[in-house]
Amino acid sequence: MGWQRKVLRVNLTEGNVQVEPLNMEWAQQYLGERGLGTKYLYENMDPTVDALDPANVLIFATGPLTGTMASTSGRYAVITKGALTDAIACSNSGGKFGAELKFAGYDLLILEGRAPEPSYLKIYDDHVEILSAEPIWGKSVWQTEDWLKSHHQDPLMKVASIGVAGENCVRYACVVNDLHRAAGRSGVGAVMGSKNLKAIAVRGTVGVTVDNPKKFMEVVKETHAKLAVSDDVKELADYGTNAMIDMMQEFGGLPTRNFQEVQFEGVDNINPAAMTKVKENGHKNLLANKACFGCTIACGRIAHIDKDHFTISNRPEYWHASGGLEYETAFAFGPDCGVDDIDALTFAGFLMNEHGMDPISFGGTLAAAMELYEMGVITDEDTDGVALKFGNPEALTVMAEKTGKFEGFGQVLGLGSKRMCEKYGHPELSMTVKGQEFAGYDSRALQGMGLGYATGNRGACHMKHDVFGPDMEDQTGEGKALPCKKSQDKISAIDSTGLCWFTSGTWRITDYQAQVDAACEGDWTVARMFETGERIWNLERQFNLAAGLTKDDDSLPKRLLSEPAKSGVAKGKVNELGRMLPEYYEIRGWTDDGIPTKETLERLGL
Amino acid sequence: MQLKVKVVGPLSRYLPAGSVDNQTVIDAAEGATVADLIKALGMPEDQKCIVSIDDEVVPTGERQSKLLSASDSIKLISPLKGG
Ligand code: SF4
């Protein structure tokens, strides 16, 4: 148990709904969520198909611990071929939707084909319907959730949906659940839009079971207790993820103005202290923090915008509280675009949730457009008359809205920075790996982070490896390959449990393993967790190789490899990828071309 | 000698009350090391943090031996990750 042992398969083209038993052999090999979703994707589609083709498959996957009493057990993942990257995409999210899908009785929801008309899926336990989305097509995520709850007269329904950005296949459109939690990266929302699927509305009453309830309760009591006294948890709850902005600023790893610099002069206006500062008119940005399902950390921020601010002074519909600044949003809209107006950043963050877009990719794309504008490659004629200068808060908020509504220059920004920079003849200005924009960590200061970005199966991503410790200690590429590989394997396993990675500052691998072992059949040892993670990583790699990606896609933009950092601890340094990558391939058991050897595949049962 | 120190992030709770801009001045004997400074701030000896002097990171293994001087720009950065 732990697993519901049921998969819901929906063919949108034919309007078919089928329930099938979960393949338990695969569950024992890939655990759940990210791993199991990847296995089902690999076995159910041809990786060479276009991401926006109906033959792409979209999978919503829960983990064996999703919906249980374990802390942070609200996680689910969306797995597909990414519209932004043309590589495997795995975006996970919190909130309450994932647990509700599990309560409805399903480990996985597999969506195939393309609905002939805009549609949404209603799942009430065994009662599953594909319904017309005509009244909500063209509406925002927030309007969609409101309409569904009121139309079905069920305020407890949990909704995952796309906005207009997803309907129009903005390349980094995301799937938003519970109004401001998102499976954000790689364009999973664009794939959902390409399937004419507006929303998934779920209610579940089946509940979850675990293999050894007594042992599970004991383990969960221990792991909860560890979180309760952890400094790391207290810091996440008190400061939120945006605490990173001060660290990166002082360290010199805060990408600024499209990675031209690594420190930003405006940090004090957008950091956690700024979020809690009371202004002269009495306004304070931060209102409260918020937790996902079953979470005892509550890192989420709930904020509101100053009513006097130019963005909303005449728009009372934005005078409410909603999801506040997370570090990645603050970095991507702030330093990367050179903007230090906290209300403009918060408003643009609201727009990301409202219209369903990944703030990291939007911010990275806008930053590249700002550099193109300052170089004179694009002008006011291209940008609907908006001065796309670094530091212009209006450029940020106007373009966030235009992109969300797929209007004017927003349609170009909706391509993502890789496609946009190629369109204007300057691919070198796109700060991406495999087409996906970087998170807020500069890989000249954090060398192992650069290796993790370059080898990331879903493109540039800071959440699939963890080399922070060695990176902070030493600013060279030496000794980074092994911790990068090991952490990729470990996180692949943790991402497959249904638990949140933000527990990792407190829990060791033994804490995850003990919870999995108590909840699931089979003997889940630490060694097996690592092996499972390695198997998942290699299967993702196999998907990408089959999709046509090569060693050349394991790279970093020229800027990070040849333009030295101008300040901070890495002043004068570039990323040493050329030194780290061969060592990494060797440790992985891959050839010099980055292809898993026969022995590696056999060892992992692939 | 007097050491000017900036403590960044959650570890700023170790700064004396009334510190402005996360900075303080610590009185230290000549020959004081990074380890002495960490102790003077009231942090545990094995406190995880990044110590940088004039924008150069001091490896954890060198904390006992790395001598400080009054002209150093010293930062203690909280060891967060993720986000
Ligand atoms: S730590 Fe934050 S992101 Fe993770 S489950 Fe809790 S509230 Fe959600």
Side-chain angles (χ1 to χ4, degrees):
Chain A
M1 283 173 277
W3 299 281
Q4 300 287 45
R5 295 171 174 263
K6 275 202 312 194
V7 174
L8 180 62
R9 188 185 291 269
V10 178
N11 187 307
L12 293 161
T13 308
E14 292 162 14
N16 274 345
V17 175
Q18 265 181 295
V19 178
E20 57 190 46
L22 181 70
N23 185 321
M24 287 309 296
E25 198 183 319
W26 293 353
Q28 288 289 338
Q29 288 172 330
Y30 294 92
L31 194 51
E33 207 188 341
R34 174 176 169 185
L36 197 52
T38 301
K39 177 65 175 168
Y40 268 86
L41 187 78
Y42 190 76
E43 300 292 343
N44 278 272
M45 71 173 280
D46 169 4
T48 63
V49 301
D50 189 274
L52 301 178
D53 191 279
N56 192 4
V57 173
L58 183 69
I59 297 178
F60 286 65
T62 66
L65 295 177
T66 304
T68 65
M69 289 182 70
S71 186
T72 76
S73 69
R75 309 301 296 189
Y76 76 99
V78 183
I79 298 120
T80 187
K81 183 171 180 178
L84 184 67
T85 55
D86 295 318
I88 186 124
C90 171
S91 278
N92 81 29
S93 178
K96 299 184 173 124
F97 175 85
E100 199 74 20
L101 183 61
K102 185 90 176 274
F103 295 156
Y106 306 104
D107 298 299
L108 269 71
L109 164 63
I110 301 177
L111 297 155
E112 302 169 333
R114 174 184 288 154
E117 303 290 339
S119 305
Y120 69 95
L121 192 64
K122 181 169 166 253
I123 305 171
Y124 272 40
D125 294 341
D126 289 343
H127 191 72
V128 181
E129 293 172 281
I130 304 170
L131 299 166
S132 169
E134 200 263 323
I136 42 176
W137 200 253
K139 302 284 186 205
S140 74
V141 163
W142 294 350
Q143 289 166 329
T144 297
E145 182 155 340
D146 267 1
W147 185 88
L148 285 166
K149 285 180 171 172
S150 102
H151 180 70
H152 292 286
Q153 298 187 359
D154 187 352
L156 295 178
M157 164 191 274
K158 305 294 180 290
V159 176
S161 67
I162 57 168
V164 173
E167 290 174 17
N168 288 288
C169 299
V170 162
R171 291 280 170 172
Y172 43 83
C174 57
V175 176
V176 183
N177 58 277
D178 305 289
L179 299 177
H180 42 232
R181 284 286 167 186
R185 303 230 66 194
S186 314
V188 297
V191 175
M192 187 154 151
S194 76
K195 297 193 170 305
N196 262 334
L197 186 65
K198 180 71 179 173
I200 302 164
V202 187
R203 274 303 297 280
T205 61
V206 175
V208 292
T209 52
V210 292
D211 187 49
N212 186 337
K214 185 166 180 290
K215 188 169 157 206
F216 188 70
M217 291 293 282
E218 283 165 12
V219 174
V220 162
K221 195 173 160 203
E222 275 171 32
T223 47
H224 268 96
K226 285 184 185 175
L227 293 175
V229 296
S230 158
D231 280 348
D232 188 79
V233 167
K234 185 171 169 3
E235 286 159 8
L236 264 173
D238 288 352
Y239 294 81
T241 55
N242 197 23
M244 281 306 303
I245 205 161
D246 289 320
M247 324 288 115
M248 283 301 109
Q249 167 71 0
E250 296 300 337
F251 196 66
L254 183 61
T256 298
R257 287 175 277 270
N258 203 32
F259 290 68
Q260 295 180 85
E261 292 142 83
V262 292
Q263 287 175 312
F264 179 50
E265 63 286 353
V267 155
D268 289 345
N269 297 326
I270 56 174
N271 62 7
M275 289 170 77
T276 52
K277 188 173 160 190
V278 181
K279 287 172 40 173
E280 274 172 19
N281 67 358
H283 178 81
K284 185 173 76 148
N285 180 272
L286 185 68
L287 288 170
N289 48 346
K290 188 169 180 185
C292 300
F293 174 89
C295 175
T296 52
I297 300 176
C299 78
R301 307 283 96 178
I302 296 296
H304 64 161
I305 303 158
D306 186 344
K307 291 188 184 105
D308 296 335
H309 193 256
F310 76 88
T311 48
I312 64 159
S313 55
N314 293 320
R315 302 177 78 177
E317 66 272 27
Y318 291 104
W319 290 2
H320 59 83
S322 192
L325 288 179
E326 304 287 343
Y327 172 56
E328 294 307 337
T329 310
F331 138 74
F333 299 169
D336 206 21
C337 293
V339 178
D340 68 353
D341 176 337
I342 194 168
D343 286 303
L345 265 61
T346 307
F347 179 60
F350 279 20
L351 293 172
M352 294 296 121
N353 290 334
E354 183 183 14
H355 299 300
M357 293 184 292
D358 172 17
I360 303 179
S361 284
F362 169 75
T365 306
L366 182 62
M370 285 174 158
E371 193 168 352
L372 288 166
Y373 183 89
E374 295 208 337
M375 287 164 67
V377 176
I378 55 173
T379 66
D380 287 352
E381 269 182 38
D382 301 289
T383 63
D384 313 324
V386 179
L388 286 199
K389 289 193 171 145
F390 285 115
N392 178 2
E394 208 175 346
L396 168 68
T397 57
V398 169
M399 287 303 158
E401 193 146 19
K402 277 177 179 284
T403 309
K405 294 180 172 170
F406 206 60
E407 294 169 353
F409 190 66
Q411 296 186 1
V412 178
L413 291 170
L415 294 170
S417 71
K418 178 171 179 279
R419 289 173 173 86
M420 180 190 72
C421 290
E422 281 168 357
K423 172 181 158 78
Y424 292 116
H426 285 278
E428 76 283 1
L429 297 187
S430 169
M431 295 298 117
T432 54
V433 172
K434 302 180 177 78
Q436 178 154 281
E437 289 72 13
F438 290 110
Y441 305 97
D442 196 288
S443 58
R444 289 163 288 200
L446 297 150
Q447 294 279 332
M449 175 69 76
L451 178 63
Y453 282 146
T455 57
N457 287 323
R458 71 168 183 175
C461 168
H462 62 299
M463 294 294 286
K464 306 289 186 200
H465 59 270
D466 176 6
V467 200
F468 278 99
D471 270 352
M472 292 283 193
E473 187 85 11
D474 162 67
Q475 284 68 58
T476 75
E478 191 178 338
K480 301 295 165 66
L482 184 62
C484 182
K485 182 261 181 198
K486 274 189 167 175
S487 62
Q488 287 171 336
D489 294 346
K490 178 175 145 184
I491 293 171
S492 299
I494 294 171
D495 276 354
S496 302
T497 59
L499 302 179
C500 177
W501 171 236
F502 287 164
T503 49
S504 69
T506 305
W507 289 347
R508 306 276 76 89
I509 186 70
T510 43
D511 294 306
Y512 301 97
Q513 168 265 330
Q515 294 179 91
V516 169
D517 191 47
C520 303
E521 297 123 289
D523 193 13
W524 287 88
T525 61
V526 168
R528 186 172 170 198
M529 292 286 285
F530 272 103
E531 190 195 67
T532 303
E534 190 178 6
R535 183 177 297 119
I536 294 163
W537 191 269
N538 277 272
L539 185 66
E540 291 176 340
R541 181 76 177 182
Q542 292 292 87
F543 182 98
N544 282 351
L545 292 170
L549 276 73
T550 68
K551 179 188 180 178
D552 294 344
D553 295 294
D554 297 339
S555 191
L556 293 171
K558 208 168 89 197
R559 173 162 287 166
L560 302 176
L561 298 172
S562 63
E563 291 178 25
K566 292 175 183 162
S567 61
V569 298
K571 187 175 177 183
K573 290 194 164 73
V574 295
N575 185 271
E576 299 177 11
L577 184 65
R579 172 182 178 181
M580 295 183 282
L581 194 60
E583 192 188 343
Y584 171 88
Y585 282 171
E586 195 183 334
I587 291 170
R588 275 243 164 262
W590 294 357
T591 68
D592 294 347
D593 287 326
I595 297 167
T597 61
K598 197 163 159 269
E599 295 76 43
T600 300
L601 295 177
E602 276 174 11
R603 178 170 57 80
L604 296 169
L606 287 165
Chain B
M1 64 179 168
Q2 293 202 311
L3 300 171
K4 289 183 285 301
V5 188
K6 185 169 190 182
V7 183
V8 185
L11 286 180
S12 58
R13 65 179 180 273
Y14 286 102
L15 285 167
S19 301
V20 178
D21 288 338
N22 284 11
Q23 300 191 54
T24 191
V25 174
I26 300 278
D27 283 318
E30 290 297 326
T33 63
V34 169
D36 295 329
L37 173 65
I38 287 174
K39 203 169 157 197
L41 281 164
M43 294 178 185
E45 228 171 77
D46 59 349
Q47 176 64 54
K48 279 191 188 161
C49 69
I50 301 114
V51 181
S52 82
I53 299 175
D54 297 331
D55 279 338
E56 288 249 351
V57 172
V58 180
T60 309
E62 291 175 19
R63 285 185 187 175
Q64 301 281 353
S65 56
K66 179 72 183 174
L67 298 176
L68 298 170
S69 80
S71 61
D72 287 339
S73 162
I74 308 168
K75 290 179 197 166
L76 269 62
I77 306 174
S78 303
L80 292 184
K81 63 176 180 178

